[in-house]
Amino acid sequence: MKLLADRIKKDGKIYPGGVLKVDSFLNHQVDAELLYKVGEEFYRLFKDENVTKILTAEVSGIAVASLAALCFKVPMVFAKKNRGSNMSGDTYSQEVVSFTHGKTYEIAVSKEYLKPEDRVLIIDDFLARGNALIGLIELAKQSGATVVGAGVVIEKAFQGGGEMARRTGIRVESLATIKEMTDDTITFAE
Amino acid sequence: MKLLADRIKKDGKIYPGGVLKVDSFLNHQVDAELLYKVGEEFYRLFKDENVTKILTAEVSGIAVASLAALCFKVPMVFAKKNRGSNMSGDTYSQEVVSFTHGKTYEIAVSKEYLKPEDRVLIIDDFLARGNALIGLIELAKQSGATVVGAGVVIEKAFQGGGEMARRTGIRVESLATIKEMTDDTITFAE
C-alpha cells in the first residue's frame, strides 16, 4: 500500500535495536482517515472470508481495528492486557512475551465475545517477532473460532515474526513490509 | 441519542456501587457502526468549533475517538497511561484519580501532538466522577491549546462529574445521560 509506505518514509522514526516509531499517525497520534483506507484495504483482501469478528489487542491495535471493523460491518473485540477489577466472568487468556518491553504479559478476552461459530480476522498495528500475533491466534483458537487470517499494518520482515506466523498456516497480509532498516533508511519489500 | 439509550437499556449490565458495564458494544467488544453514528452526532454538535484535534485517553476512549476523528477529518491523539520505554521526548502529564480502580495514575501526551494553535475536542466513553475528563482538560491546557468542549458517550449524572466539569466553563455534551440507576433499572435524563 503505497500511501502507507510513503507515510512511513516521511514520518517514521528509527531508534536503536530495530525499533520503528510511527507515533505521528498510528501509535499515539492517529490519522483516522489513513487508517480507514487501511481498513478498506483489509476488506478488499479478506472480503470473501465471511468475517464475523475483528480481534486485536490493546492498546495500539484498537484504532486500526475499529476502523477496519467499520469497513467489515462486524464487531471488534480487543484483548485486554491486565485482567483487573474491570474484567468479570469467564475469559480465554494467553501469555505473550513483549519484544519492545522485554517482559511477559497476559492477554484475555471474555468468553462472551468469541464463539465457535465466529470467523475471526486478527488486526494489529505491527508484526515484528510475532509474539503478539501468535498470542492472538492462540487466544482465538481457544474459543473454537476459525481464524481466517491476520491483517497487519506494518511488518518488520527482518525480525522473523511474519515467517513464524505464516508457518502456522494462517494467512497473514501486511500492508507495508519492511525488508531492511538501518539507522537512517527503510527498505520496503516489493 | 435514542439509539444509544436503547442499546444501554438492552445490553448494559449494572454492578454494585453504581458501576455500569457496556462491554458488549463500547469497552471490550466495540460496535464500530454504532460508534461511527456517535461520531457523527459529536460532529453535528461541534462542527462550528473548527476542531483541529480530538483528544482522548487510553484504553477505552480510543475506539470512539478514532471514529469521531474520521467524522471530523482531524487527527486523534490518545493520552498514554504509563510512560514507559515506548514514550520518548518531552511530554505534558497530569495526575488522575480513578474511581473504578481506586488508584492514581498519570496520563501523558507528547508535546509534538498538542500545540497552542490547536482547537481540541475531548472525547471519552464515560463521564462519572469527572476525574478523567478534568485530567484531559488540564493536559490540553498545559499545551496552550483551546479546549472547545468535551463529547461523552455516557454520562452518569448522579456521580456529579458532569456538573464539576461544566463548572470549569467547558461545554460538555453527553449523548446518553443517566439520571438514576438502581440494581435493575436505568433512568435517563430527558
Side-chain angles (χ1 to χ4, degrees), chain A:
Chain A
M1 198 181 173
K2 186 172 182 305
L3 189 68
L4 187 61
D6 289 347
R7 188 64 174 272
I8 294 165
K9 276 188 183 162
K10 181 172 160 273
D11 290 333
K13 289 179 187 165
I14 303 171
Y15 290 82
V19 174
L20 171 68
K21 305 245 306 182
V22 285
D23 274 6
S24 63
F25 62 92
L26 185 59
N27 294 131
H28 182 17
Q29 182 166 259
V30 167
D31 183 337
E33 291 172 277
L34 175 68
L35 296 194
Y36 184 74
K37 290 189 182 107
V38 162
E40 287 180 320
E41 182 65 10
F42 286 137
Y43 181 73
R44 191 185 68 79
L45 291 165
F46 289 102
K47 66 178 185 302
D48 297 330
E49 293 290 352
N50 301 315
V51 173
T52 63
K53 204 148 282 190
I54 303 282
L55 176 67
T56 190
E58 68 176 29
V59 177
S60 54
I62 296 176
V64 61
S66 297
L67 291 158
L70 188 65
C71 298
F72 279 86
K73 300 183 193 301
V74 300
M76 180 273 276
V77 183
F78 61 90
K80 301 202 176 189
K81 273 186 182 158
N82 298 298
R83 289 190 297 175
S85 56
N86 70 343
M87 196 148 186
S88 51
D90 271 354
T91 59
Y92 300 111
S93 68
Q94 183 68 35
E95 272 207 350
V96 178
V97 181
S98 165
F99 162 63
T100 317
H101 302 274
K103 51 189 174 189
T104 296
Y105 59 92
E106 198 183 57
I107 54 174
V109 167
S110 165
K111 290 188 178 177
E112 283 183 67
Y113 306 127
L114 280 181
K115 299 285 183 187
E117 60 272 26
D118 273 322
R119 294 181 59 82
V120 174
L121 174 64
I122 295 168
I123 296 281
D124 215 351
D125 57 337
F126 268 99
L127 172 55
R129 304 284 165 127
N131 296 327
L133 179 55
I134 299 285
L136 284 167
I137 293 169
E138 291 301 320
L139 197 65
K141 282 184 174 171
Q142 283 182 41
S143 70
T146 304
V147 179
V148 303
V152 169
V153 184
I154 303 173
E155 176 178 348
K156 296 194 283 183
F158 57 93
Q159 289 177 330
E163 205 188 320
M164 184 171 73
R166 289 178 184 100
R167 227 183 287 135
T168 69
I170 297 286
R171 175 182 171 199
V172 180
E173 299 280 359
S174 303
L175 302 194
T177 303
I178 298 173
K179 199 169 65 178
E180 248 175 46
M181 237 168 71
T182 66
D183 284 355
D184 50 12
T185 61
I186 298 171
T187 309
F188 291 92
E190 285 311 306

Side-chain angles (χ1 to χ4, degrees), chain B residues 117-134:
Chain B
E117 61 270 26
D118 273 323
R119 294 180 60 81
V120 174
L121 175 63
I122 295 168
I123 297 282
D124 214 351
D125 57 337
F126 266 100
L127 172 55
R129 304 283 165 126
N131 298 325
L133 180 54
I134 299 286

